[in-house]
Amino acid sequence: TIRPVTIGAILSDLDGTLVDSTDAVLRVWHRWMDDHGLGRTRSAEHPHGIPAREVVARLAPHLDADAEAAELERREIADLDGVVALPGAAALLRRSGPPPLAVVTSCTLPLARARLRAAGLAEPPAMVTAERTARVKPHPDPYLLGAELLGVAPAACVVLEDAPAGVAAG
């Protein structure tokens, strides 16, 4: 028999799930790679869904990952051309009834807010960003914090994700 399932909360990733930022992300990263004499990654090869600091550490371990991540964040906030809402995102964020929703992203809070604004989307009341947990995706900590912020048991949450690291975390 099929039993109905009650969804206690929605935990949604941002990039690739609520907004399409791929062109802007790749544009910034490719310029950064060019600046450092690194080979460019194609979209499918770029490690999406994890914080910039970890991507820098993977692609250029000889560089200061914290300093480079700060520079990349500055560039990404400055280049939002083409960041758009994905279908259904505005309606999902605009609704007022249950279940509650939290955005759970590997972006920093300033970058997440900039992308939401660029896409014309409302900021949800609950946001979990890269700086809020010690461990990031693919660890479950960001999604566990999202459930906690909404006061819902993790098992009662549905996760909306597009990147392998986020799927593993969810």
Side-chain angles (χ1 to χ4, degrees):
T1 77
I2 298 175
R3 294 180 309 177
V5 175
T6 301
I7 297 173
I10 299 168
L11 306 175
S12 180
D13 181 41
L14 179 61
D15 298 286
T17 305
L18 297 173
V19 304
D20 181 355
S21 59
T22 303
D23 290 345
V25 168
L26 290 177
R27 194 169 46 247
V28 166
W29 278 87
H30 286 166
R31 287 183 189 137
W32 177 84
M33 289 172 188
D34 291 346
D35 291 348
H36 292 286
L38 302 169
R40 289 185 174 194
T41 57
R42 293 190 327 242
S43 180
E45 298 168 337
H46 190 80
H48 296 282
I50 60 175
R53 184 196 181 293
E54 292 190 21
V55 177
V56 169
R58 285 184 192 182
L59 299 178
H62 60 286
L63 297 175
D64 179 333
D66 291 325
E68 296 302 325
E71 173 60 16
L72 282 157
E73 177 184 43
R74 185 196 65 72
R75 292 182 186 197
E76 287 187 284
I77 289 171
D79 184 352
L80 298 165
D81 188 41
V83 174
V84 295
L86 287 168
L92 183 64
L93 290 170
R94 228 184 3 250
R95 65 189 179 65
S96 59
L101 179 137
V103 167
V104 180
T105 179
S106 294
C107 293
T108 62
L109 184 59
L111 181 54
R113 285 180 168 158
R115 287 189 178 150
L116 285 166
R117 276 192 310 273
L121 295 174
E123 182 178 329
M127 289 192 36
V128 177
T129 53
E131 62 271 40
R132 294 203 61 190
T133 59
R135 295 187 311 166
V136 294
K137 299 173 186 179
H139 297 285
D141 300 17
Y143 281 114
L144 293 172
L145 178 56
E148 182 182 320
L149 291 174
L150 297 176
V152 176
C157 297
V158 65
V159 171
L160 307 179
E161 256 299 346
D162 71 309
V167 171

